[in-house]
Amino acid sequence: MEEKQMIAMPRIGEAAPAFTAVTTQGNINFPSDYQGKWVILFSHPADFTPVCTSEFMTFASMQPEFKALNCELVGLSVDGLYSHIAWLRTIKEKIEYKGMKNVEVNFPLIEDITMEVAGKYGMIQPGESNTKAVRAVFFIDPKGIIRAIIYYPLALGRNFDELKRALIAMQTADKFQVAMPADWRPGDDVIVPTAGSCGTAKDRMEKKDPDVTCYDWFFCTKKLPKDKI
Ligand code: BEZ
């Protein structure tokens, strides 16, 4: 009988698996070093590859925007520290791409030659590659809980505007106890819980709150202006 390899796949709502690691910014103790902050832990397949380079330049350029949202970035690949350092230096010194140049990657990039961390986070997906991490993204909240996970294949670069949108959406959902409709962006109406804080279904259908719009008893939205977020 064929033996199936068990692969750890962390799940939404679970504590982020803990690890210590060597990175381009020194050693880290994950996730405890990030308590009280959001963190995006993401993997890329390999240093000195084109899609990964375009991703790192984009993410590094957006780092101040993520910091302003109380979110730190942590990268990982199964390459070693000296490869990481040489690649990041090449990016800074030589690569000009889509108006980005002289890009310094100031967030930690984990070396994971043993694949220990990649294994814990289900980043090695053998159907795609046995030797490289797929493009995984873990959103981890200030309490160390995994809140969202995205996996992309090797040949497809991620959309970093979407990562930022998802982060803002989750932070806003937490703060206002609401849910976000399809394609929500700051300033758009948000979905109110089916029962509770916004009155009964009957109240809502009768339009007692002018900021609430009900499409049916189970589907009500309310205004949440951008400047209130
Ligand atoms: C890239 O980043 O370009 C890449 C890495 C691994 C496989 C395919 C593409």
Side-chain angles (χ1 to χ4, degrees):
M1 198 167 64
E2 190 189 328
E3 206 178 301
K4 283 218 166 120
Q5 200 186 351
M6 287 300 292
I7 298 169
M9 295 294 284
R11 291 175 292 197
I12 290 173
E14 294 179 349
F19 62 85
T20 54
V22 174
T23 85
T24 49
Q25 304 283 321
N27 294 355
I28 60 169
N29 213 327
F30 196 92
S32 54
D33 287 350
Y34 295 90
Q35 231 180 0
K37 293 175 184 223
W38 283 79
V39 51
I40 294 179
L41 172 67
F42 69 102
S43 56
H44 70 276
D47 298 344
F48 291 102
T49 53
V51 178
C52 301
T53 299
S54 70
E55 289 194 320
F56 262 68
M57 293 183 77
T58 308
F59 226 177
S61 302
M62 292 174 74
Q63 190 187 9
E65 297 170 49
F66 283 91
K67 256 200 194 299
L69 293 165
N70 188 33
C71 180
E72 300 295 327
L73 310 177
V74 179
L76 174 150
S77 81
V78 302
D79 298 291
L81 185 63
Y82 295 111
S83 165
H84 284 344
I85 291 168
W87 178 48
L88 299 186
R89 188 185 299 146
T90 304
I91 287 176
K92 178 170 160 47
E93 291 176 357
K94 295 198 180 149
I95 313 282
E96 183 171 347
Y97 173 69
K98 284 197 168 174
M100 297 179 281
K101 65 175 182 182
N102 210 16
V103 173
E104 199 154 342
V105 175
N106 291 317
F107 55 79
L109 175 49
I110 294 169
E111 77 151 10
D112 191 29
I113 34 183
T114 61
M115 299 192 188
E116 192 188 326
V117 181
K120 282 186 176 182
Y121 277 82
M123 292 166 172
I124 304 296
Q125 304 201 358
E128 183 74 344
S129 172
N130 279 315
T131 56
K132 294 178 173 66
V134 294
R135 299 182 196 280
V137 184
F138 289 84
F139 293 81
I140 296 161
D141 76 12
K143 291 185 179 145
I145 303 297
I146 297 171
R147 299 292 300 277
I149 304 172
I150 299 172
Y151 288 110
Y152 266 36
L154 303 188
L156 177 57
R158 287 157 282 200
N159 181 323
F160 292 86
D161 288 330
E162 168 58 9
L163 302 190
K164 186 177 167 191
R165 187 196 74 92
L167 175 69
I168 296 171
M170 285 185 278
Q171 292 178 337
T172 308
D174 286 358
K175 186 170 168 190
F176 295 94
Q177 294 295 294
V178 293
M180 289 7 203
D183 297 329
W184 178 87
R185 294 202 161 266
D188 291 350
D189 291 357
V190 297
I191 292 177
V192 293
T194 304
S197 61
C198 267
T200 63
K202 187 168 166 289
D203 285 345
R204 288 198 248 158
M205 289 302 287
E206 286 171 2
K207 273 195 167 286
K208 295 218 163 129
D209 182 343
D211 282 348
V212 173
T213 304
C214 284
Y215 301 92
D216 204 331
W217 63 269
F218 64 92
F219 183 9
C220 296
T221 61
K222 73 171 178 188
K223 297 196 185 314
L224 183 54
K226 208 173 181 171
D227 60 6
K228 287 232 171 84
I229 292 173

